[in-house]
Amino acid sequence: MDNAIDLLETVEQETGPSPQWSVIWLHGLGADGHDFAPLVPELVREGWPSLRFVFPHAPVRAVTINNGVRMRAWYDIVGMDFPTRADSEGVDQSVLQTGALIDREHARGIEPQRILLAGFSQGGAIALTAGLRRKTPLGGLIALSTYLPGAEAAAESLKASLSEGAATQPVFMAHGAADPVIPLVHAERSAQLLQSFGFAVEWHRYPMAHQVCAEEIAALGDWMARRFAHA
């Protein structure tokens, strides 16, 4: 199999028998699939359908802005200029690998409309990019402390390349007002662009840095509950 679509190793949790929904959650730079697994008990609510959480490990690669140190990363970060900082080849590869995980969930009996694609920071950037490229819409996109790579530099071409139905995917975005890693303005611009493309974006801002907080998880739970209720 081509390296671009090798199936990534994952950490999985199921909240009940015969999962009816899947949540694929992509971690941030330098972390791994275990990073967000402890949030599952905090997030999941009584009465929800059975869920399968899939937390993949990103490939290990050299990261330019970290002096070439090798770490788990969804793409290389080649500089500090946001419109051009994300290595497009790495983004493309990670989108393909994420697509392979989505296909596996479909093969395990979960329809795409019952798959939520989530990510934090770098993982969120891949979640948004993968969602925009979907030909078969997912149940929703969750983007925490992140932005849409390349969107500010190529908004028109990105909009023109959207598949029919892509904008039907609801989006949850949340960000810290004091985020020193991805300044708030870039997340806000990404949310505004997605809205201009026709996406329904639920936007939240919190008094925090590059992290998650309890209020954010509660708001995400509310958003997910609405997805399950409308399925």
Side-chain angles (χ1 to χ4, degrees):
M1 182 180 291
D2 188 278
N3 287 335
I5 53 173
D6 279 348
L7 203 60
L8 297 171
E9 293 184 2
T10 62
V11 175
E12 296 190 7
Q13 293 187 36
E14 295 184 358
T15 65
S18 303
Q20 301 169 46
W21 286 72
S22 293
V23 183
I24 300 174
W25 197 309
L26 311 181
H27 62 77
L29 177 67
D32 64 20
H34 295 283
D35 197 34
F36 280 93
L39 277 179
V40 172
E42 182 180 350
L43 177 63
V44 173
R45 300 180 181 180
E46 186 177 352
W48 279 9
S50 295
L51 309 176
R52 178 186 296 119
F53 283 85
V54 179
F55 300 99
H57 301 305
V60 175
R61 52 168 44 94
V63 177
T64 300
I65 65 162
N66 287 349
N67 298 315
V69 173
R70 294 180 63 80
M71 62 186 65
R72 292 198 181 278
W74 297 106
Y75 52 86
D76 186 17
I77 301 175
V78 297
M80 296 307 296
D81 181 52
F82 268 81
T84 60
R85 67 184 308 202
D87 162 43
S88 59
E89 183 176 343
V91 169
D92 291 345
Q93 181 186 37
S94 288
V95 167
L96 286 173
Q97 291 172 316
T98 300
L101 291 172
I102 293 169
D103 291 344
R104 185 180 67 168
E105 291 309 295
H106 192 195
R108 292 202 278 188
I110 309 295
E111 293 298 320
Q113 294 79 9
R114 288 177 177 262
I115 297 174
L116 303 178
L117 182 57
F120 173 81
S121 194
Q122 261 207 348
I126 296 301
L128 287 176
T129 303
L132 263 64
R133 295 183 186 179
R134 290 289 300 173
K135 294 181 180 178
T136 303
L138 300 176
L141 309 173
I142 300 165
L144 310 180
S145 299
T146 193
Y147 75 113
L148 181 61
E152 296 176 48
E156 289 305 314
S157 62
L158 188 62
K159 183 177 181 179
S161 68
L162 284 177
S163 298
E164 184 177 354
T168 63
Q169 300 169 110
V171 180
F172 179 94
M173 290 187 73
H175 211 89
D179 192 329
V181 178
I182 300 176
L184 177 66
V185 62
H186 298 292
E188 289 177 330
R189 288 174 182 169
S190 292
Q192 291 162 4
L193 278 171
L194 288 170
Q195 289 172 329
S196 74
F197 295 166
F199 287 83
V201 179
E202 181 172 317
W203 167 259
H204 294 266
R205 182 176 68 180
Y206 298 97
M208 63 180 184
H210 195 64
Q211 61 194 93
V212 296
C213 64
E215 294 84 358
E216 177 182 15
I217 297 305
L220 175 57
D222 292 341
W223 181 88
M224 290 175 64
R226 291 194 292 274
R227 308 283 77 75
F228 303 146
H230 295 155

